């Protein structure tokens, strides 16, 4: 069964520094996608970055990058040059398919990031 | 462009009352549709998903049900709410290999 694990309930980072949020996953499907979402206190879910299981290079989107280590089944999110507005809950998610025939997206328990001025 | 509408934004209901939350997607055809629930300060729990009209997969046995009467409409229902049904309900859609796109959510409080 697919599983997503985020072991850091909370993290602090100083403004302008980089921070890494950990995510490990488990799946038997050779084709899958990995996603990171940001959830501010307002509750909206904001898509940040995507990594496909067959992608050779790590995904990057502006200040966000995904450190994809397939053999270790990890997909850590790196936020560079942290800003106060980055303070939020961050969720790692995985989508299996099409091999499994379903397109379920499962989420980790989240990491609450606080950026300090 | 695609948009997703979810309503109401907040809802307070007494125990034992019925529930109907509605979600519609515009600007795309045959999306996969999802209902998630988030307890306060917790992660997202997948409740139901649908890959087509009338096709509903349930992930968690409970007193909730879902229906997809039209291609871009997804409804979450309950005949009798429990206190444990309180939470933040999120509707979402996706296409084959795309990210999930979420609605703004409904905060349900069962009293």
């Amino acid at each position: 069964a697919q599983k997503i694990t985020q072991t850091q309930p909370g993290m602090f980072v100083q403004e302008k520094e980089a921070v890494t949020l950990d995510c490990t996953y488990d799946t038997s499907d050779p084709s899958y996608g990995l996603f990171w979402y940001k959830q501010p206190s307002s509750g909206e879910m904001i898509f940040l970055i995507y990594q496909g299981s067959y992608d050779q290079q790590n995904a990057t989107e502006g200040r966000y990058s995904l450190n994809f280590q397939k053999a270790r089944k990890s997909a850590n999110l790196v936020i560079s040059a942290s800003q106060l507005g980055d303070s939020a809950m961050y969720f790692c998610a995985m989508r299996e398919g099409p091999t499994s025939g379903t397109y379920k997206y499962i989420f980790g328990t989240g990491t609450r990031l606080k950026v300090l001025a | 462009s695609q948009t997703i509408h979810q309503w109401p934004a907040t809802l307070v209901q007494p125990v034992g009352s019925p529930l109907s939350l509605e979600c519609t997607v515009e600007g795309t055809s045959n999306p996969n549709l999802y209902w998630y629930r988030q307890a306060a300060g917790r992660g997202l729990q997948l409740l139901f998903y649908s890959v087509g009209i009338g096709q509903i997969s349930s992930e968690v046995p409970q007193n909730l049900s879902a229906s997809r009467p039209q291609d871009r409409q997804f409804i979450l229902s309950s005949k009798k709410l429990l206190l444990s049904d309180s939470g933040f309900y999120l509707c979402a859609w996706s296409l084959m290999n795309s990210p999930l796109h979420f609605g703004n959510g409904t905060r349900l409080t069962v009293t």
Side-chain angles (χ1 to χ4, degrees):
Chain A
Q2 54 180 168
K3 186 178 179 181
I4 289 280
T5 303
Q6 293 181 257
T7 58
Q8 306 155 311
M11 292 277 288
F12 290 94
V13 64
Q14 206 67 36
E15 194 178 10
K16 299 181 185 178
E17 291 186 351
V19 62
T20 298
L21 306 183
D22 295 342
C23 173
T24 58
Y25 62 92
D26 191 20
T27 179
S28 57
D29 196 324
S31 176
Y32 52 90
L34 296 160
F35 307 82
W36 278 91
Y37 286 83
K38 173 184 178 181
Q39 187 180 41
S41 57
S42 60
E44 62 182 312
M45 292 289 287
I46 302 169
F47 165 68
L48 297 178
I49 196 166
Y50 162 78
Q51 181 85 41
S53 59
Y54 295 119
D55 293 344
Q56 295 296 315
Q57 294 191 325
N58 289 341
T60 60
E61 287 289 347
R63 294 187 298 111
Y64 304 108
S65 61
L66 200 153
N67 185 0
F68 181 45
Q69 298 187 43
K70 195 170 184 176
R72 296 181 59 186
K73 293 189 175 180
S74 74
N76 298 338
L77 177 70
V78 180
I79 305 175
S80 62
S82 296
Q83 302 172 357
L84 295 177
D86 294 334
S87 294
M89 196 75 162
Y90 288 82
F91 291 100
C92 181
M94 177 173 66
R95 181 213 68 227
E96 283 188 338
T99 307
S100 65
T102 68
Y103 286 90
K104 294 193 296 185
Y105 295 71
I106 62 163
F107 285 75
T109 52
T111 296
R112 186 170 298 280
L113 177 67
K114 176 71 173 176
V115 180
L116 304 174
Chain B
S1 64
Q2 304 94 346
T3 56
I4 178 169
H5 302 281
Q6 184 182 344
W7 66 93
T10 59
L11 192 59
V12 180
Q13 292 284 99
V15 169
S17 64
L19 172 74
S20 181
L21 302 181
E22 189 165 340
C23 171
T24 59
V25 179
E26 296 178 356
T28 187
S29 296
N30 197 29
N32 296 330
L33 297 172
Y34 304 82
W35 278 110
Y36 286 87
R37 178 170 62 196
Q38 185 180 25
R42 306 289 292 275
L44 276 70
Q45 179 188 35
L46 178 60
L47 301 176
F48 301 95
Y49 68 97
S50 171
V51 298
I53 296 174
Q55 300 178 58
I56 308 294
S57 296
S58 174
E59 289 296 298
V60 182
Q62 57 208 337
N63 69 320
L64 298 174
S65 63
S67 62
R68 185 172 178 172
Q70 300 180 43
D71 181 42
R72 291 169 289 176
Q73 183 184 26
F74 206 24
I75 298 171
L76 182 69
S77 303
S78 174
K79 292 182 179 178
K80 288 185 178 182
L81 284 169
L82 306 173
L83 286 174
S84 58
D85 292 325
S86 293
F88 188 49
Y89 288 81
L90 287 155
C91 181
W93 70 272
S94 76
L95 296 176
M96 289 281 285
N97 293 313
S98 76
L100 270 179
H101 304 275
F102 286 87
N104 289 331
T106 297
R107 294 194 184 277
L108 172 66
T109 303
V110 182
T111 61

